[in-house]
Amino acid sequence: MKASAGGYARANDLSHAMELLASSKGMGRVLAGGQSLVAAMNMRLSTDDMLVDISRISELSGVTDDGETLRIGALTKHVEIGANPLIQTYAPLLAEAVSCIAHAAIRNRGTIGGALAHADPAAEFPACMLALGATLHICGPDGERSVEIEDFFQDLFETSLEEDEILTAITIPKAATDEQQVLLEVARRSGDYALVGLCLVVRSTGHRISLLSVGSTPVLARNAMAQLDQGDVDGAVAALRDEIDPTSDTQASASYRRHIAGILLRRAVAQAIGDIA
Amino acid sequence: MTVRFGNPDRPNSYIGKTVPRPNAGRLVEGRGRYVDDISLPRMVHVVFVRSQFAHAKILGIDAEEAKSVKGVLRIFTGTDLAEVCTPWVAVLEHLKGLKSPPEHPMAMDRSCWVGEPVAAVVATSRAAAEDGAVLVEVDYDPLPVVADMMTALDAATPVLHPEMGDNLAFQRLHEQGDVDSVFETAHKVVSANFKTARHTGVTLEPRSILVDWNPSEGQMTAYHATQAPHMMQTVLAEHLDVPESRVRVICGDVGGSYGIKVHVYPDEVATAAIAKIMARPVKFIADRLESFTTDIHARDHEIDAKIAVDAEGKILALDVDDWTAIGAYSVYPRTSAIEGNQVVNLCGGPYDFPNYRAKTTVVFQNKTPTCQYRAVGHPIAVAVTEGLVDMAAAELGMDPVEIRRRNMYADDTYPVTSPANMRFEGLSHHQSMDKLLELMDYDALRADQAEARGRGVHRGIGIASFIELTNPSPFMYGIGGARISAQDGCTVRMDPDGSIVAMSGVTEQGQGTEAMLSQIVAEGVGVLPSNVRVITGDTQVTPYGGGTWASRGAGIGGEAALRSARALRDSILEVAASMLQAVQASLDIRDGHVVDAETGAKRMPLEELGRIVYFRGDTLPKGLPRELVQTRHYITSEYPFAFTNGVQASYLEVDTETGIVTLLKHWCVEDCGRIINPQLVDEQIRGGIVQGLGGALFEEIHYDDDGQLLNGSMADYLVPMASEMPDMVVGHIETPTQESALGAKGAGEAGTAGAPAAVMNAINDALRPLGAQVTEMPFTPERILRALGVIEE
Amino acid sequence: MTRIFDDKVDIDLTVNGEPVEARVPAGQHVIDFLRQDLGLTGAHASCEHGVCGACTVQVDGTSVRGCLMLAAQLDGADVWTIEGLSDSETIRDLQEAFIARNALQCGFCTPGMLVAAEELLALGGVPERAAIREHLSGNYCRCTGYEAIVDAIETVARQRAGKVQA
């Protein structure tokens, strides 16, 4: 299990990183925290990559308060997100998610941008960002662009990021004081990928529900959201089970996942109401 | 040669005390020396190209492109290695009818499981060898795959090894009494179908071997992570045509074994064969992905079983039909029929009942071979037995403790022979149960369970009594023709400064063998344990022995150590008596001094005796024996096996909406005979329990219909981690075996034997009011919800 | 013109307080570098996909998986392995507690386990047993069943808390 990398270069800043990517002739691979990429390289699931190590670019790290939104640098580490007071106050869902992600040593190096760009449908941050309605900021050869999170995840491990682009930051709306954010998971062991996970955000403007581990991408459960907006929990559970199309694997069947999604929604609603009360 | 164990204040009373492990200090400082830590001059690395197909003809191997990789030195095929290495056949004569075809270190013209070595790439680094391995092109012609166990013997199923005639590797039927008529007339009959999943050991240190061949001396040296260095010495000598005296197997620190590292692996023998061809050191360290496909698997069993009881809950009969599939070959040299055979031997173990029938059917299939893994057969037999006993109790409306009390062998009834023809020298089922109930406060726990149920929380209590087979005699392997030693030896010597060196044939795998031996030798000679240097795992210096398996280290290796230590004591005292002009029987050795036995007054330090014997032998009488070194070997002869016993309990909670099981607490009371080091025994029990809990809740290798292994990574094959494991209360009853002076029986597998059954019974205790029952391990959230009828599609 | 991407990378770092200069293959992970190039064999490679924790070492003050970080990324880093933590006596109390409680059997997981444990203990206070278990949830031990490890860490936490108060 020894990686076969094509080459390595350390980017000093964002523009250097863009140059490196441009010069990699399509073999470039952005290396941030490396907690998924290096594992894949060791297993030779990814070979001959020209690694562009962006992990030292300090401008891409940190959480800032932009008034209506929070801006999270793509290189902000999981452990930093979990401990950040702005996150704890305005995006408690993300702080909650950190405690579910793998284990301490992984959280010490893994970055939120890496987690989103990797687009693992079983990971917490992609689903959380869907529930929060995040905007992603991307730097490419032609400058910066923004993508709404709903348009970002394309397929299994596939996003709308182009090969020569780098995800630089994420902005999320700050939670209002009466907003409820709940993350619930069923996992067989602490830190495992969840068999199913569900995020519920209750805002004055309506409900947002997203799921992880129920398909090839994180899923926004629009029908269930609509039912919850109507105040119909049973209808939301039924709609949710109807609108997701989970896969079966060695850990659980699609039927199990579909069933649990409904259970988690009920529990999340109960918890949110509890939080309100 | 008796030790007055009954007197805790006896001199040198180290046996029975918690003494720190001499090797723990270096391990916590990262100073251990595992095989992969060793680097030799001119060392090269081998990586195996492994079959991607479960069954395929090998039409050709093209290694040209691989040879061009920088660092790649040579590439070998199966036929290359066959020139220096003979094949093996893993059968045992006393397992009548057991068959298996010859197996080579690498596939010759056909691969039979995904992961079977097909070619070997040798390079200057592991990374370069891997770069080469991906470029080796093997031309496969896929063959039909045998993947399902229960249809393996059907006429429509292809025969995996045509020369064997069918896919049946082994079958055994044992019958005692009149089983059929009892089932026709019994008050209650309960039946169930049980499944245990395919497991693998997942040792944290992967399989590792480094072999050097020095042609000018004709000497082979293998640094090997193994439990049985002498067995490996014999195997390498036999199949690579080297005298045993010229094969040295060195087993330093080993990063976990659990039975995984007691077998002969084709890739490891191939490594030795390559070293012999290339005449330089060759290292093979399995990576984690190949561990999952090539470490032995175990416990792929499906069992139909039934129990007959009378109205008072007395067990009248047990009928067990066990099936297991062992992969493509029986594993050398222990064979892969043992686990099924153990199920026949062990079902019904704790209970006194007259009618017993058990059959095991062992079949071939195109999967990784299975073989002996911690607690071989025990978790299966205990789950079947204890599961049925609980179901019968429920049918009768009887408490699970009560039905066991009515059937367990009385503590004063021994020796007895069980319906499976196992001979029990002395067990303590009732005392153990008493102690368990006291430790767990059974009545309070039942009250807590009832209170929780009132809140809609489903908790369950599960009890599992068990027996554990230990200290095997040659009846386990030797009589079947396998060169696996049931005896073991120990050499103890005194160095000139009075310090003691003990060299033992049993090995240290982390369980504390060296601590245990240091205590025994310290007590046997009369020195401090810290003054005993224990050496294990080097066939060039330790007496020939079986090594560490079947919980034999303390019982066999410990007894050999005690006898050699006492013999050295006698030798020392003979010299001392001469030097001190005293009667030998009036002297003793305590804390490194020759003393007056009566008063304890110091007469001479061992250091002075050593100085005289080694450097001033001229001052001693002519003819006085002066061997301050003694070797003794020990083998059991009264009983084919020792048996230990115990009982476990699990308390857990089932989330009936998600199917998640939360373990709240676990108890085990066991009787391993004489306890040499209480802390080490407790931790063997705890570690064993958790391995059993893994089988109950998490561990399961999945294959698809094409024989592809689906979850071969640590992320997908789940083992117990800290967060999910409970605290465990461990208690003991001590019934020493009378066969040895030491009286130790072994404690390595008791935890694993009983834990899955305790969990199964606890889950079913929780689910019973809901009308659900689970019998297929592991008890995943999904299986629990399906049992509850929550998921149906 | 120099190559933009290197297949061998020069790094300059500190390991166990000692300066190290090295040239490493682009794809080599930290644990192979420490074990094979520096002879620091205390931490182990076991799964090499970030699950087992046997390769856990300290990099710039935090625990990291040695198999999930490239040696090339170590330029300028301050690395501590079990060897350095032992020599400096930083975790002597923890090591002694592991020995006393027999919180290790085969010892293969132990160096990684100790680094993980020390990270938790460095936070101060006496964590709940569940919190200790949770913190160790990424460090695999197949021998002990974990209870002895939890006991040893809890003991050291109490000892250290006692010292702080005194």
Side-chain angles (χ1 to χ4, degrees):
Chain A
M1 294 199 30
K2 305 303 174 192
S4 171
Y8 171 92
R10 188 179 306 119
N12 304 317
D13 54 34
L14 187 56
S15 64
H16 185 210
M18 298 312 301
E19 277 171 38
L20 288 168
L21 266 187
S23 67
S24 69
K25 302 190 177 70
M27 292 303 289
R29 192 80 189 246
V30 174
L31 171 63
Q35 301 302 283
S36 298
L37 176 56
V38 178
M41 286 168 54
N42 289 346
M43 293 198 264
R44 291 188 182 239
L45 299 172
S46 184
T47 55
D48 303 323
D49 295 316
M50 294 295 175
L51 298 167
V52 177
D53 182 1
I54 63 168
S55 61
R56 304 287 181 93
I57 304 177
S58 54
E59 65 198 91
L60 296 187
S61 186
V63 182
T64 49
D65 188 337
D66 284 358
E68 295 293 300
T69 58
L70 285 186
R71 183 180 178 89
I72 306 170
L75 288 181
T76 310
K77 293 179 173 125
H78 301 342
V79 64
E80 295 164 348
I81 287 181
N84 185 285
L86 288 172
I87 297 282
Q88 288 169 350
T89 308
Y90 297 116
L93 187 67
L94 297 180
E96 181 67 29
V98 169
S99 65
C100 297
I101 300 172
H103 316 286
I106 305 271
R107 298 193 289 260
N108 285 341
R109 290 221 29 105
T111 67
I112 191 161
L116 295 173
H118 184 53
D120 188 331
E124 282 80 5
F125 279 149
C128 289
M129 289 300 178
L130 260 186
L132 294 172
T135 304
L136 307 186
H137 304 278
I138 292 166
C139 184
D142 304 324
E144 297 219 0
R145 69 184 178 103
S146 297
V147 177
E148 296 308 310
I149 191 78
E150 286 88 340
D151 303 323
F152 185 67
F153 301 111
Q154 311 271 302
D155 205 340
L156 188 65
F157 304 127
E158 275 181 34
T159 70
S160 58
L161 266 181
E162 299 294 333
E163 278 177 356
D164 52 2
E165 291 182 322
I166 293 176
L167 173 63
T168 57
I170 305 101
T171 50
I172 49 173
K174 281 161 66 176
T177 48
D178 63 345
E179 182 165 322
Q180 300 301 315
Q181 301 183 356
V182 178
L183 168 67
L184 294 177
E185 291 189 353
V186 172
R188 292 183 63 188
R189 303 177 307 175
S190 172
D192 279 356
Y193 284 119
L195 299 177
V196 183
L198 181 138
C199 306
L200 171 65
V201 173
V202 187
R203 288 180 176 151
S204 54
T205 53
H207 296 80
R208 287 181 70 88
I209 303 166
S210 69
L211 293 104
L212 52 118
S213 284
V214 296
S216 57
T217 65
V219 169
L220 195 64
R222 295 177 192 277
N223 296 344
M225 284 156 50
Q227 293 291 322
L228 267 197
D229 286 345
Q230 305 291 318
D232 183 354
V233 177
D234 288 341
V237 168
L240 177 67
R241 285 177 174 154
D242 195 44
E243 72 185 303
I244 59 173
D245 184 18
T247 47
S248 295
D249 58 28
T250 59
Q251 304 294 351
S253 71
S255 307
Y256 178 84
R257 291 191 157 95
R258 184 173 283 115
H259 173 78
I260 293 300
I263 297 289
L264 292 183
L265 180 55
R266 274 189 205 285
R267 288 183 176 186
V269 169
Q271 188 174 321
I273 292 168
D275 284 356
I276 292 163
Chain B
M1 202 207 59
T2 53
V3 177
R4 288 175 294 139
F5 290 110
N7 175 13
D9 299 324
R10 68 191 185 275
N12 310 310
S13 55
Y14 305 115
I15 297 173
K17 300 245 167 81
T18 290
V19 166
R21 288 168 53 200
N23 45 356
R26 71 165 188 271
L27 297 178
V28 299
E29 294 190 2
R31 294 176 190 275
R33 194 166 184 250
Y34 305 87
V35 172
D36 197 23
D37 299 340
I38 301 168
S39 198
L40 298 178
R42 297 189 73 222
M43 185 175 83
V44 292
H45 300 260
V46 61
V47 161
F48 292 92
V49 177
R50 298 183 179 280
S51 177
Q52 305 291 313
F53 292 92
H55 199 192
K57 264 190 189 151
I58 299 167
L59 301 176
I61 297 173
D62 180 357
E64 280 314 305
E65 207 184 337
K67 282 179 188 164
S68 68
V69 171
K70 189 178 170 189
V72 170
L73 302 174
R74 268 179 93 159
I75 293 169
F76 296 90
T77 65
T79 44
D80 295 334
L81 298 190
E83 289 176 20
V84 299
C85 184
T86 55
W88 50 83
V89 177
V91 295
L92 290 168
E93 285 160 25
H94 65 299
L95 298 182
K96 299 267 183 292
L98 171 61
K99 65 194 183 201
S100 186
E103 185 179 17
H104 289 266
M106 291 203 297
M108 298 293 283
D109 55 2
R110 186 173 64 116
S111 64
C112 292
W113 83 87
V114 172
E116 183 171 4
V118 170
V121 179
V122 180
T124 51
S125 71
R126 167 93 195 184
E130 286 188 17
D131 286 343
V134 297
L135 297 174
V136 173
E137 286 193 22
V138 183
D139 187 7
Y140 293 104
D141 181 13
L143 294 167
V145 172
V146 183
D148 180 57
M149 176 164 79
M150 301 308 289
T151 58
L153 300 182
D154 291 0
T157 303
V159 175
L160 202 162
H161 302 294
E163 70 277 21
M164 297 279 109
D166 55 29
N167 289 326
L168 182 67
F170 176 67
Q171 199 163 47
R172 179 185 161 204
L173 172 67
H174 172 82
E175 193 156 12
Q176 169 141 334
D178 188 358
V179 175
D180 286 325
S181 62
V182 170
F183 274 102
E184 278 167 27
T185 57
H187 174 68
K188 291 272 186 200
V189 171
V190 180
S191 63
N193 174 267
F194 298 88
K195 284 184 187 171
T196 55
R198 239 179 201 257
H199 299 171
T200 186
V202 201
T203 59
L204 203 52
E205 176 202 32
R207 289 190 295 107
S208 307
I209 190 167
L210 164 57
V211 187
D212 193 10
W213 169 249
N214 182 336
S216 52
E217 290 185 323
Q219 172 73 36
M220 178 168 282
T221 306
Y223 302 85
H224 192 193
T226 179
Q227 298 168 233
H230 283 107
M231 183 197 85
M232 287 309 302
Q233 175 193 23
T234 295
V235 166
L236 294 175
E238 182 176 342
H239 292 281
L240 292 164
D241 192 24
V242 184
E244 288 185 23
S245 58
R246 297 279 176 171
V247 176
R248 180 183 186 185
V249 177
I250 299 172
C251 168
D253 288 315
V254 178
S257 295
Y258 330 112
I260 297 300
K261 293 173 181 168
V262 76
H263 310 293
V264 172
Y265 287 92
D267 46 21
E268 295 177 8
V269 179
T271 303
I274 291 167
K276 199 176 175 207
I277 294 171
M278 293 184 72
R280 61 195 292 185
V282 182
K283 183 187 267 189
F284 168 63
I285 309 292
D287 73 29
R288 187 53 62 187
L289 300 186
E290 59 190 344
S291 296
F292 279 103
T293 56
T294 64
D295 289 7
I296 60 107
H297 296 174
R299 299 198 185 115
D300 196 356
H301 286 247
E302 180 165 352
I303 308 100
D304 276 319
K306 54 184 178 175
I307 192 170
V309 292
D310 69 14
E312 278 70 51
K314 274 296 289 175
I315 299 171
L316 303 175
L318 196 60
D319 189 2
V320 176
D321 184 11
D322 170 62
W323 282 68
T324 183
I326 59 167
Y329 293 93
S330 171
V331 173
Y332 191 59
R334 290 179 143 67
T335 84
S336 306
I338 297 288
E339 184 144 66
N341 200 51
Q342 293 278 66
V343 172
V344 174
N345 288 342
L346 297 170
C347 277
Y351 304 115
D352 185 358
F353 64 101
N355 304 291
Y356 178 56
R357 177 165 60 209
K359 184 175 159 189
T360 187
T361 302
V362 181
V363 301
F364 291 114
Q365 57 179 186
N366 292 108
K367 294 181 186 172
T368 300
T370 71
C371 202
Q372 281 75 292
Y373 164 56
R374 196 176 197 173
V376 192
H378 291 72
I380 307 161
V382 179
V384 168
T385 306
E386 296 300 280
L388 288 175
V389 165
D390 260 26
M391 291 171 199
E395 277 287 311
L396 295 166
M398 189 177 284
D399 186 275
V401 173
E402 181 58 26
I403 194 170
R404 286 175 172 80
R405 284 202 190 284
R406 292 183 184 193
N407 288 285
M408 294 186 298
Y409 283 109
D411 289 354
D412 60 1
T413 194
Y414 300 98
V416 294
T417 300
S418 79
N421 277 343
M422 296 294 108
R423 291 170 56 212
F424 303 142
E425 181 200 9
L427 301 174
S428 58
H429 288 298
H430 290 269
Q431 280 184 80
S432 297
M433 182 68 86
D434 290 344
K435 186 149 193 172
L436 177 85
L437 298 183
E438 181 191 320
L439 285 175
M440 68 192 287
D441 197 346
Y442 184 71
D443 294 336
L445 221 52
R446 285 286 178 208
D448 179 75
Q449 178 189 30
E451 185 275 332
R453 194 154 274 152
R455 291 183 284 119
V457 172
H458 301 279
R459 292 184 173 169
I461 300 168
I463 308 269
S465 291
F466 62 90
I467 55 170
E468 181 202 351
L469 180 156
T470 64
N471 295 356
S473 74
F475 277 81
M476 190 142 187
Y477 295 114
I479 60 164
R483 294 168 76 87
I484 296 169
S485 189
Q487 64 82 47
D488 227 297
C490 187
T491 295
V492 178
R493 76 163 191 257
M494 191 189 103
D495 282 346
D497 67 353
S499 63
I500 304 295
V501 175
M503 293 172 283
S504 170
V506 294
T507 59
E508 173 71 84
Q509 320 280 313
Q511 68 278 66
T513 300
E514 294 189 358
M516 171 274 289
L517 291 173
S518 77
Q519 292 172 252
I520 292 170
V521 171
E523 172 141 10
V525 177
V527 297
L528 296 170
S530 57
N531 228 10
V532 179
R533 171 79 170 122
V534 177
I535 293 171
T536 62
D538 183 347
T539 60
Q540 192 158 291
V541 299
T542 62
Y544 199 99
T548 299
W549 45 275
S551 300
R552 68 187 291 283
I556 309 290
E559 179 71 7
L562 180 61
R563 292 184 180 197
S564 58
R566 298 298 282 185
L568 176 64
R569 173 182 177 274
D570 291 346
S571 301
I572 292 169
L573 289 180
E574 183 175 9
V575 175
S578 169
M579 289 170 68
L580 298 169
Q581 301 290 303
V583 178
Q584 187 178 331
S586 73
L587 300 173
D588 194 8
I589 307 173
R590 293 174 195 170
D591 289 352
H593 283 77
V594 176
V595 300
D596 187 286
E598 191 81 3
T599 65
K602 288 181 181 174
R603 301 290 304 272
M604 180 171 46
L606 291 183
E607 190 178 358
E608 174 61 9
L609 186 140
R611 185 184 72 83
I612 298 295
V613 169
Y614 286 112
F615 308 119
R616 289 305 309 272
D618 56 304
T619 65
L620 295 173
K622 274 186 191 169
L624 180 73
R626 48 195 75 189
E627 287 81 13
L628 297 185
V629 56
Q630 293 291 341
T631 299
R632 292 293 183 274
H633 286 252
Y634 174 69
I635 189 166
T636 54
S637 49
E638 302 289 320
Y639 287 83
F641 314 102
F643 276 94
T644 77
N645 69 279
V647 56
Q648 296 193 27
S650 168
Y651 192 43
L652 52 75
E653 187 171 307
V654 182
D655 181 334
T656 54
E657 285 187 339
T658 64
I660 292 280
V661 172
T662 303
L663 301 172
L664 301 173
K665 203 157 183 174
H666 200 97
W667 297 262
C668 177
V669 174
E670 63 77 55
D671 183 346
C672 63
R674 178 87 54 222
I675 292 173
I676 298 161
N677 184 321
Q679 184 186 56
L680 293 181
V681 170
D682 282 0
E683 297 317 310
Q684 276 302 294
I685 298 298
R686 288 198 172 92
I689 287 170
V690 165
Q691 229 154 15
L693 296 176
L697 293 180
F698 298 115
E699 300 187 36
E700 180 169 28
I701 296 252
H702 292 268
Y703 278 93
D704 69 12
D705 294 342
D706 296 323
Q708 292 289 340
L709 198 156
L710 299 177
N711 60 332
S713 83
M714 274 204 185
D716 298 313
Y717 180 86
L718 308 186
V719 297
M721 299 298 287
S723 282
E724 290 70 36
M725 290 300 108
D727 282 342
M728 294 161 272
V729 178
V730 181
H732 305 280
I733 303 292
E734 274 186 85
T735 310
T737 172
Q738 301 302 312
E739 226 188 297
S740 66
L742 187 60
K745 295 178 180 173
E749 298 164 285
T752 311
V759 167
M760 178 178 72
N761 285 349
I763 292 173
N764 288 335
D765 186 50
L767 298 185
R768 194 160 285 121
L770 304 171
Q773 174 173 292
V774 287
T775 52
E776 180 177 359
M777 295 186 203
F779 305 114
T780 62
E782 174 147 5
R783 287 193 176 119
I784 285 169
L785 290 198
R786 286 185 184 278
L788 285 164
V790 174
I791 315 173
E792 280 169 357
E793 40 181 306
Chain C
M1 184 185 140
T2 54
R3 278 175 53 92
I4 298 170
F5 290 92
D6 299 315
D7 56 6
K8 293 273 197 319
V9 183
D10 290 322
I11 54 173
D12 192 338
L13 67 155
T14 307
V15 180
N16 296 328
E18 298 172 2
V20 171
E21 285 183 19
R23 168 165 285 197
V24 298
Q28 185 182 49
H29 53 58
V30 166
I31 203 67
D32 273 357
F33 168 66
L34 293 173
R35 290 176 51 81
Q36 295 169 9
D37 294 20
L38 303 188
L40 295 167
T41 55
H44 299 117
S46 174
C47 78
E48 295 184 279
H49 52 277
V51 181
C52 78
C55 63
T56 307
V57 293
Q58 276 185 11
V59 176
D60 295 331
T62 64
S63 69
V64 306
R65 295 274 204 252
C67 73
L68 292 188
M69 184 177 184
L70 298 180
Q73 296 181 287
L74 286 177
D75 190 51
D78 180 28
V79 178
W80 285 84
T81 69
I82 189 67
E83 289 88 349
L85 294 171
S86 299
D87 290 349
S88 65
E89 308 257 313
T90 314
I91 56 166
R92 173 53 50 195
D93 55 349
L94 189 56
Q95 290 166 318
E96 282 172 2
F98 266 55
I99 295 170
R101 183 58 190 85
N102 198 41
L104 68 152
Q105 290 184 27
C106 79
F108 204 79
C109 73
T110 310
M113 195 69 81
L114 289 167
V115 170
E118 178 60 21
E119 184 171 49
L120 177 67
L121 288 168
L123 299 174
V126 181
E128 298 282 324
R129 287 178 74 80
I132 297 172
R133 287 182 176 278
E134 170 60 30
H135 189 80
L136 299 178
S137 68
N139 288 76
Y140 178 120
C141 170
R142 191 65 157 167
C143 294
T144 63
Y146 302 103
E147 185 169 336
I149 298 173
V150 176
D151 289 348
I153 294 170
E154 191 178 32
T155 299
V156 173
R158 284 185 207 285
Q159 285 168 357
R160 290 191 189 180
K163 273 181 197 156
V164 169
Q165 282 164 10

